[in-house]
Structure formats: structure tokens, C-alpha cells
Amino acid sequence: MGFHIQMEQMPGYLAAKLIGAGEAGEGSQLFVSIAEHCKRTKNTKLLIDTTGFEIKLSVVDRFRIGASLEIFALHGIKVAVVCRPEQLDPRRLAILAARNRYVSVDVFTDFHAAEEWLLNSPPRA
């Protein structure tokens, strides 16, 4: 299993697209790298696209992912996550864990809705 990240500067935000397959636990270091890239490029808005990414997550894994999103709050980065409907956790555990750490984050299954929220809504933690 392997994956890679494509980062692209978009008007008003950085887009990070995850492609391939990953293992639970890889997220923490990945988020640190993305946050550092945002900081270097002076981006305070980030769209993470996981529609091309495969991973099996337990409830504990989802909580850990949410907790590891805290790095974005530390850098003042607002985050929109786009996923496929089958990837969406109806309990939104990762989002809840992240918001409890003051991360301005939301998850979407529609790219345009994610972009609209990212660019036009006030930060929410």
C-alpha cells in the first residue's frame, strides 16, 4: 500500500489531494507536513481531498485523526475535508475531536460546498 499527496495552490487556499491507499496512523505526520507547507506558502485555508484515497478506519482511528488535526489550529489554518459519501462517518467523530481542539474544520461530500464554506464562512472551532 502506498499513497502520495498532490498539493496545488488555488485562488484563496491550498488544495491537498490524497491519492492511493494508506494505513491508520499515517495521518499525524502527514498533517504536520501539510501544515508546514501552508505556513511556508502563507495559506490560512486548506482543502483536503480524500476522494481518491482508500483507508480502513476504526472508531479509535477516527478519534486519533481528529486529534491530530490540532496542528492546523496551532497554525491558524481553516480546513475543509472532501470525501466520498461512503467515507463519511455519520457520527462525525474526527470532526468533533478536532473542534474540541479549536480546529476550524468541516467535512463535505461535495467539492463546491467545501470550497464555498472554506472561502466564505467565518472560522468555526
Side-chain angles (χ1 to χ4, degrees):
M1 294 190 157
F3 72 96
H4 65 278
I5 305 167
Q6 289 179 341
M7 289 203 232
E8 182 178 358
Q9 184 63 53
M10 304 297 286
Y13 67 93
L14 181 71
K17 183 173 181 123
L18 280 62
I19 301 168
E23 298 290 330
E26 292 178 315
S28 295
Q29 187 56 42
L30 172 68
F31 295 149
V32 169
S33 296
I34 294 172
E36 288 173 355
H37 186 83
C38 285
K39 186 177 176 183
R40 278 192 311 275
T41 59
K42 296 182 179 19
N43 279 286
T44 59
K45 295 179 181 178
L46 171 68
L47 187 142
I48 300 175
D49 180 352
T50 66
T51 58
F53 189 60
E54 294 294 329
I55 190 168
K56 299 289 183 198
L57 298 172
S58 69
V59 171
V60 173
D61 295 331
R62 289 180 188 280
F63 176 81
R64 288 180 180 153
I65 287 171
S68 66
L69 289 171
E70 182 177 29
I71 188 70
F72 297 113
L74 297 174
H75 290 290
I77 300 167
K78 181 179 176 183
V79 182
V81 179
V82 179
C83 66
R84 298 186 312 270
E86 65 272 15
Q87 293 172 315
L88 189 62
D89 175 11
R91 295 169 296 204
R92 300 170 59 96
L93 183 59
I95 298 303
L96 180 61
R99 287 184 182 160
N100 284 342
R101 287 157 179 82
Y102 305 102
V103 182
S104 180
V105 62
D106 212 341
V107 64
F108 303 86
T109 56
D110 178 76
F111 179 85
H112 296 293
E115 190 176 54
E116 176 73 19
W117 175 84
L118 188 63
L119 295 174
N120 297 315
S121 70
R124 176 173 98 193

